[in-house]
Amino acid sequence: DSNVAPANDDNRVTNALNALVGYIPTEVITLYVAALSAEAALHSTVPAIDPATILWFFVGLTPVLLLLIYLSKVAATGDQLPGPREWPWWKMVAATIAFFVWALAVPGNPYLRDAAAAVAGLGAMLASTLLRIMTPIFERPAPTT
């Protein structure tokens, strides 16, 4: 049956996108979708705001927001805030990559249309695979002495 392969491909892309979302703070996704929904209103107020501007703003916001969430959780425990050497650098990089690839697969993204959206699905599968493989390398526990 010729419908089996596309359904399997769709499932693989969906699974890859879901894996990417696991790296991205929920707040970033929620705010990004809200900003895309409000793009017309934002553009009428500030003409420089367009889907590309929104995308790149959130690419930059992703590691910042992840760091703020991390520091907030540490502060809530009463522990001393860690210095930059102890920040979750890998998680910040992985979240930024994951967000960018995920955002390119979202309908209405500023760069990929129609058939090119299939490329985003392939990119999502590749990115989620690489991030999954690389995470244990970069998130190794500190050696005990």
Side-chain angles (χ1 to χ4, degrees), residues 12-140:
R12 280 186 231 137
V13 170
T14 299
N15 290 341
L17 290 172
N18 288 338
L20 288 178
V21 167
Y23 289 93
I24 309 166
T26 305
E27 296 83 352
V28 172
I29 294 171
T30 304
L31 290 169
Y32 178 69
V33 171
L36 280 184
S37 298
E39 187 266 329
L42 292 169
H43 182 73
S44 68
T45 305
V46 181
I49 296 177
D50 61 10
T53 305
I54 293 170
L55 173 69
W56 288 109
F57 174 79
F58 279 91
V59 166
L61 181 64
T62 298
V64 172
L65 194 55
L66 190 140
L67 179 61
L68 290 174
I69 291 167
Y70 169 76
L71 293 175
S72 176
K73 286 180 180 179
V74 171
T77 66
D79 291 342
Q80 182 176 347
L81 292 179
R85 288 180 157 222
E86 290 84 34
W87 289 355
W89 290 105
W90 167 248
K91 287 184 180 186
M92 292 163 58
V93 169
T96 303
I97 293 167
F99 172 77
F100 183 67
V101 173
W102 174 85
L104 290 178
V106 171
N109 78 73
Y111 297 111
L112 301 178
R113 304 268 186 243
D114 304 324
V119 173
L122 178 61
M125 290 191 303
L126 178 63
S128 66
T129 299
L130 290 175
L131 290 173
R132 186 172 24 89
I133 291 169
M134 293 168 52
T135 293
I137 296 168
F138 289 101
E139 284 195 344
R140 296 175 61 188

